[in-house]
Amino acid sequence: ISICRDLPNIEVITFSVNGISNLEPLNQCQNLTELYLRRNNITSLNELFYLKNLPRLRVLWLSENPCCGSDPHRYRMTVLRNLPSLQKLDNQAVTEEELSQALVDGEEITAPPAKQSMGNGCPEHTESSAAESTTETESELLSFSLEETNKIREELGMKPVPRDKFSFSPREPDCNRKKRNNVLNAILLLTKELDTEGLEIVQQTVGRRLQASRKKELQEE
C-alpha cells in the first residue's frame, strides 16, 4: 500500500484481502473516489483519520475488518460521522437520515492510531491473520483475486481476464501470494500514470522478460 504515496492522482484503489493494517499512505491521494479494503487487518477505526481530508472519496468498502467490531450500528455511524461525503459504505447507499444520526451516535476521530509494528502485504502471525487463513477457501481466494484484478483492468480500459485463463496457484504460500498480488496491483495502477512513451518502454521490457522466462522454462524441461 506504500506505493499509494507516489500516486496522488489515483481515483480507484482495490486492496481487498491483502493483510493491510495502516491507511496512512492514502492521505496524499486527493483524487481518490473509490476505496475497497474489505477483509484486511485494520484493527482501529482511528485509521479513518487518514481518509478525512480526501475531498472526493464517495465509495468505501471496509467490512470484514477487525475495526468493524461487534456493533454494526456504532461502526457505521462512526464512519459516516468522520466521512460525511460518502455516498456508499460497504455496498450500501448512505442516506441523509444516517448522516444526521451519525452526528449523535458516531464517534469523532481527531487523531491517528498509536503507532505500532505493522506489516502490509505479509503480516506477522496474529490471531486475526491465523483466523483468516483458516476461514478462506481456495475457491474464495480465486474469486477475490479475479474480481479485484478485473476491477483494475476495467478502470484501465483493459478487457477482463476469463476465469479459465486466470493464473492462480492455491498451494502457493499465503505470504507469497499476497506479495505477488500487491506487486501486480501496483504495476497495473502505475501504468495508468504513464504516457505513450512510458507504456512503450514497459511493453518492450515485459517482452524481453517473457522471452527470457519462456527460454528458461524450455531449458528446464
Side-chain angles (χ1 to χ4, degrees):
I1 191 173
S2 59
I3 190 68
C4 295
R5 292 191 181 96
D6 300 320
L7 299 171
N9 295 320
I10 196 69
E11 296 180 7
V12 178
I13 294 178
T14 304
F15 278 146
S16 297
V17 198
N18 268 296
I20 290 170
S21 56
N22 175 21
L23 302 185
E24 185 273 333
L26 300 176
N27 66 359
Q28 301 298 320
C29 301
Q30 293 294 300
N31 288 329
L32 189 64
T33 60
E34 299 180 30
L35 178 59
Y36 300 90
L37 294 168
R38 179 169 47 105
R39 196 177 292 193
N40 276 286
N41 194 34
I42 301 169
T43 59
S44 172
L45 284 176
N46 280 23
E47 293 290 339
L48 296 175
F49 178 82
Y50 299 118
L51 307 181
K52 294 183 69 171
N53 294 321
L54 303 183
R56 301 185 180 182
L57 186 62
R58 297 293 180 268
V59 177
L60 174 64
W61 200 329
L62 193 61
S63 63
E64 299 178 79
N65 276 278
C67 65
C68 298
S70 58
D71 187 344
H73 176 74
R74 177 183 174 279
Y75 152 72
R76 189 172 176 87
M77 292 296 99
T78 296
V79 174
L80 294 181
R81 176 166 182 172
N82 291 278
L83 303 175
S85 295
L86 287 181
Q87 296 177 353
K88 184 176 287 189
L89 173 61
D90 296 338
N91 207 32
Q92 181 178 341
V94 175
T95 65
E96 291 295 332
E97 291 76 9
E98 283 184 309
L99 291 175
S100 298
Q101 191 64 35
L103 296 175
V104 178
D105 296 345
E107 179 183 343
E108 179 71 17
I109 294 172
T110 59
K115 295 294 182 182
Q116 51 186 307
S117 178
M118 292 180 283
N120 289 327
C122 184
E124 297 178 1
H125 293 291
T126 62
E127 287 186 18
S128 176
S129 60
E132 180 181 80
S133 64
T134 57
T135 56
E136 290 175 3
T137 65
E138 293 174 0
S139 177
E140 284 179 322
L141 287 170
L142 172 58
S143 297
F144 283 137
S145 298
L146 179 59
E147 174 187 350
E148 307 302 354
T149 297
N150 281 338
K151 173 69 176 178
I152 294 173
R153 290 176 68 89
E154 180 183 350
E155 292 297 324
L156 295 173
M158 303 166 66
K159 293 182 179 179
V161 179
R163 187 181 181 88
D164 60 344
K165 300 293 185 182
F166 188 70
S167 175
F168 180 82
S169 174
R171 291 196 175 126
E172 184 179 4
D174 186 62
C175 173
N176 292 342
R177 181 176 58 249
K178 288 183 177 180
K179 180 179 179 181
R180 184 189 60 191
N181 287 344
N182 284 340
V183 171
L184 176 60
N185 287 342
I187 291 172
L188 290 172
L189 290 169
L190 283 170
T191 58
K192 193 174 181 180
E193 303 290 317
L194 296 176
D195 55 15
T196 302
E197 182 181 359
L199 289 171
E200 289 176 349
I201 294 174
V202 171
Q203 184 182 38
Q204 293 169 5
T205 303
V206 170
R208 289 193 294 268
R209 288 291 305 274
L210 280 173
Q211 289 179 353
S213 178
R214 287 166 182 165
K215 183 178 180 180
K216 182 178 179 181
E217 289 176 354
L218 290 174
Q219 291 175 344
E220 291 175 350
E221 292 177 358

